Amino acid sequence: MVNNHIDQSYSEMHRILEFYSGIGGMQYAFQLSNNSGDILAAFDINTVANSVYKHNLEKFKKKSIVQQKSIESLSISYYDSFNANVWLMSPPCQPYTRTGLHKGSSDLRAKSFLFLIDMLSKMSSPPTYILIENVKGFEESDTRNTLVTQLKNCNYNYQELFITPVQLGIPNSRLRYYMLAKKQPLILKGSDRSKIFYHIPCSSYNQPLSSDLIIRPIDDFLHDDVNYEKYSVPNETLIKYGKLFDIVKPSSRRSCCFTKGYYHYVEATGSIIQLSEDLDSDKVFNKVERKGSILEQENIDLIPRLKLRYFTENEIASIMGFPKEFSFPDEITLKQRYRVLGNSINVIVVSELIKYLLSD
Ligand SMILES: C[S@@+](CC[C@H](N)C(=O)[O-])C[C@H]1O[C@@H](n2cnc3c(N)ncnc32)[C@H](O)[C@@H]1O
């Protein structure tokens, strides 16, 4: 699955800062990219996400790398002191989401990212490589214009991309905006900054979405040892909202983007799984609906036969490319687990982008 053919720069030891580190998606992506390097510090204000990060990624480290600090509260000289050559980041997306208020740079949640952009021209040792992830919609924002102007001023070559895991054969939609930037005279091979690419240049995953793309079945990501009772969708929820769920089967080769509202809200927050392959959920829910308020027991009894359940947090982590060893500290609730995963990134997509970015 992992493509290794961009391997020119593997001997260089990169010095990395991970901003908005959450549960560590960027660090996992870096590990998977087969580059050498060290995460020097990871910055995030979310205590839950930080505890997941520490639980998995600080186990074998001598000192803590997670900094529970707001990014804009630290000084430029402090960031300079790391002498980092790589910045990886996924800044808050709320100022840019299509369903939000679209306030862009005037949204308070954009402040820390604007601080980082501004800092690029003030540092004594700015990064050579930058990777930024955000939602579709960012490309139309004033923050993106500020970013591009600053990258040009500071002599970076750059490429913007839209990539979804589906392009890499992963049955999950998560179309995201990416900005890759590299300090001149280094270049991004095959780039064209006048366009936003829908493919990763120089990668074996260089096709845009097409009908002959081979996508893995959902079954590849399901776990056998799931406590069905714990993850089943309550019957009352299904009677009320059954038709609003996005339902996939083990043989399906797609699923919706898992968001931080999964398990809490029904619509557009991520798919649920129907374990009985042979039943048609639309037919079942149509029958339940047709009866209006007086529901016939016979139709209600059909619902449990669908065997509908939520994806477990570990299954979602696998779909998002986290390794098998990834786990949560016991004290983190199920709702919190879904929330931090929904905020994270697809590790495999980002690792492919890192390979492209760091190949010189
Ligand atoms: C899109 S999520 C990043 C997720 C991360 N890449 C991961 O793999 O989990 C954005 C993160 O930014 C953090 N954040 C928001 N504003 C911040 C600030 N001013 N300083 C530090 N972290 C911030 C949030 O707590 C959240 O975890």
Side-chain angles (χ1 to χ4, degrees), residues 318-330:
S318 315
I319 291 174
M320 291 175 72
F322 283 79
K324 274 200 213 71
E325 323 75 78
F326 175 81
S327 64
F328 289 92
D330 291 343

Side-chain angles (χ1 to χ4, degrees), residues 20-23 25 44-46 69-72 90 92 112 343-344:
Y20 313 99
S21 46
I23 57 174
D44 203 296
I45 46 175
N46 183 319
K69 303 242 170 67
S70 60
I71 286 162
E72 65 278 30
S90 34
S112 57
N343 259 340
S344 189

Side-chain angles (χ1 to χ4, degrees), residues 157-211:
N157 285 318
Y158 66 85
Q159 181 63 53
E160 295 168 283
L161 310 95
F162 286 126
I163 306 289
T164 172
V166 180
Q167 284 164 262
L168 279 68
I170 301 161
N172 185 231
S173 305
R174 198 178 185 89
L175 185 68
R176 288 292 180 268
Y177 167 92
Y178 296 94
M179 166 64 89
L180 305 180
K182 215 164 179 175
K183 199 87 169 146
Q184 291 166 10
L186 298 177
I187 55 157
L188 284 149
K189 266 185 239 150
S191 67
D192 176 352
R193 67 189 199 183
S194 68
K195 291 184 189 141
I196 305 190
F197 282 176
Y198 277 85
H199 68 281
I200 309 173
C202 313
S203 162
S204 58
Y205 301 111
N206 61 359
Q207 300 141 299
L209 289 174
S210 69
S211 53

Side-chain angles (χ1 to χ4, degrees), residues 18-27 43-47 49-50 67 69-72 89-94 109 111-113 133 322 340-345 347:
E18 190 178 1
F19 295 101
Y20 313 99
S21 46
I23 57 174
M26 290 287 178
Q27 164 143 203
F43 304 91
D44 203 296
I45 46 175
N46 183 319
T47 44
N50 286 347
Q67 311 234 2
K69 303 242 170 67
S70 60
I71 286 162
E72 65 278 30
M89 66 176 90
S90 34
C93 57
Q94 296 91 336
R109 291 165 291 191
K111 196 174 162 201
S112 57
F113 185 34
E133 184 254 16
F322 283 79
V340 290
L341 276 168
N343 259 340
S344 189
I345 56 167
V347 168

